């Protein structure tokens, strides 16, 4: 039964990590709704909900390995330089979330991981997506090469907001990138790349704080969850890449609002 629960969480993680609907929010809500992994101690559940994201990171690395690899022998010197430039921009964008995350990690875990924070942020960013899409001006940035370091840092500020559960890391980053003039395709792609160091760092931090002290059963639950998240993430990323070519993000905004309403009604009326 625990294996089935880990697979369910892996599926939820893989679908929602890359779509702008808040993977952490969905994971928290799933655990509260049907008590997934309820038989485990709270520290392990908290660890699982974060470290399972590592599977999603591997999906990005797999799909974009050539693009992300500055040492590829198939790249020209100019292409390698562009890859290094992209990574430097990614690292600059990570600074805000890294600083705030390290300073307030315990506070966020203790005070903000609850259904009402998730519901509020789902609704707030749902409305934000709808408003931004209605008022959106023509894009000015059509490739990551055109992103300046200043713009990358500002995108990082938006990503920092996603430390609040229910916000969505991809949602905040994509919304910020679009506001700053990036096309939807560039916004989504840069969001994928930003995820690699920040999610790896978050997973490693959780493992260090947990002390790597887990049973064999807990270890395999993590592996199963990550493997499931990896497989599902591959399809989710491909879906979003194709989706943004023909659609805007308004539908995700309405989905977030509807989900916020359902969550609030469930917990207030139960």
């Amino acid at each position: 039964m625990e294996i089935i629960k880990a697979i369910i969480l892996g599926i939820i993680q893989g679908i929602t990590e890359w779509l702008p609907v808040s993977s952490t929010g969905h994971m928290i809500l799933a655990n509260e709704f049907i008590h997934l992994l309820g038989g485990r101690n709270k520290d392990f559940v908290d660890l699982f909900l974060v470290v399972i994201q590592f599977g999603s990171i591997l999906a990005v690395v797999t799909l974009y390995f050539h693009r992300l690899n500055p040492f590829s022998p198939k790249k020209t010197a100019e292409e390698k330089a562009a890859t290094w430039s992209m990574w430097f921009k990614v690292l600059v964008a990570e600074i805000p979330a890294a600083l705030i995350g390290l300073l307030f990690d315990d506070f966020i875990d203790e005070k903000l991981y609850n259904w009402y924070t998730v519901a509020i942020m789902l609704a707030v960013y749902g409305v934000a997506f709808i408003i931004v899409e209605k008022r959106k001006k023509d894009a000015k940035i059509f490739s990551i090469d055109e992103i300046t370091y200043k713009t990358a840092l500002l995108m990082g500020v938006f990503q920092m907001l996603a430390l609040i559960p229910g916000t969505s890391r991809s949602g905040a980053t994509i919304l910020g990138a679009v506001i700053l003039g990036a096309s939807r395709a560039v916004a989504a792609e840069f969001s994928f790349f930003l995820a690699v160091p920040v999610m790896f760092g978050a997973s490693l931090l959780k493992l260090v704080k947990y002390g790597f002290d887990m049973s064999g059963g807990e270890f395999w639950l993590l592996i199963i969850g990550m493997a499931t998240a990896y497989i599902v993430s591959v399809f989710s990323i491909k879906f979003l890449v194709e989706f943004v070519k023909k659609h805007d993000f308004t539908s995700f905004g309405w989905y977030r609002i509807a989900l916020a309403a359902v969550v609030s009604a469930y917990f207030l009326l139960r």
Side-chain angles (χ1 to χ4, degrees), residues 48-205:
F48 184 95
L49 295 179
V50 174
V51 178
I52 193 178
Q53 297 174 348
F54 188 72
S56 296
I57 300 173
L58 292 180
V60 174
V61 174
T62 299
L63 291 172
Y64 292 93
F65 183 77
H66 178 71
R67 180 77 182 278
L68 296 172
N69 182 12
F71 303 105
S72 174
K74 297 181 180 180
K75 288 184 175 179
T76 64
E78 183 178 353
E79 290 172 331
K80 290 180 180 179
T83 303
W84 280 116
S85 176
M86 179 195 71
W87 272 115
F88 290 141
K89 292 172 185 177
V90 167
L91 293 177
V92 166
E94 302 292 4
I95 294 174
L99 291 176
I100 299 302
L102 288 173
L103 290 173
F104 295 99
D105 182 62
D106 291 335
F107 174 83
I108 292 170
D109 282 351
E110 181 181 351
K111 302 296 184 182
L112 300 182
Y113 271 68
N114 49 65
W115 72 265
Y116 39 89
T117 299
V118 170
I120 291 170
M121 300 315 296
L122 281 170
V124 167
Y125 278 84
V127 171
F129 265 113
I130 294 171
I131 292 175
V132 168
E133 286 294 358
K134 284 187 176 180
R135 298 182 178 181
K136 186 178 182 299
K137 299 179 181 179
D138 292 337
K140 297 178 291 184
I141 301 172
F142 296 96
S143 74
I144 290 180
D145 292 340
E146 297 175 13
I147 296 176
T148 65
Y149 284 98
K150 178 182 177 181
T151 301
L153 182 62
L154 291 174
M155 290 180 183
V157 172
F158 279 94
Q159 178 176 246
M160 177 190 69
L161 300 175
L163 292 170
I164 303 174
T167 298
S168 171
R169 187 205 56 77
S170 62
T173 308
I174 289 173
L175 186 68
V178 170
I179 291 173
L180 293 170
S183 67
R184 297 185 187 92
V186 170
E189 189 174 69
F190 196 64
S191 174
F192 298 156
F193 300 161
L194 282 181
V196 175
V198 73
M199 290 167 63
F200 176 79
S203 298
L204 182 61
L205 179 62

Side-chain angles (χ1 to χ4, degrees), residues 3 36 41 53 87 115 119 147 157 201 221 228 260 269:
I3 292 177
L36 293 171
N41 66 76
Q53 297 174 348
W87 272 115
W115 72 265
I147 296 176
V157 172
L221 284 177
T228 304
L269 300 176

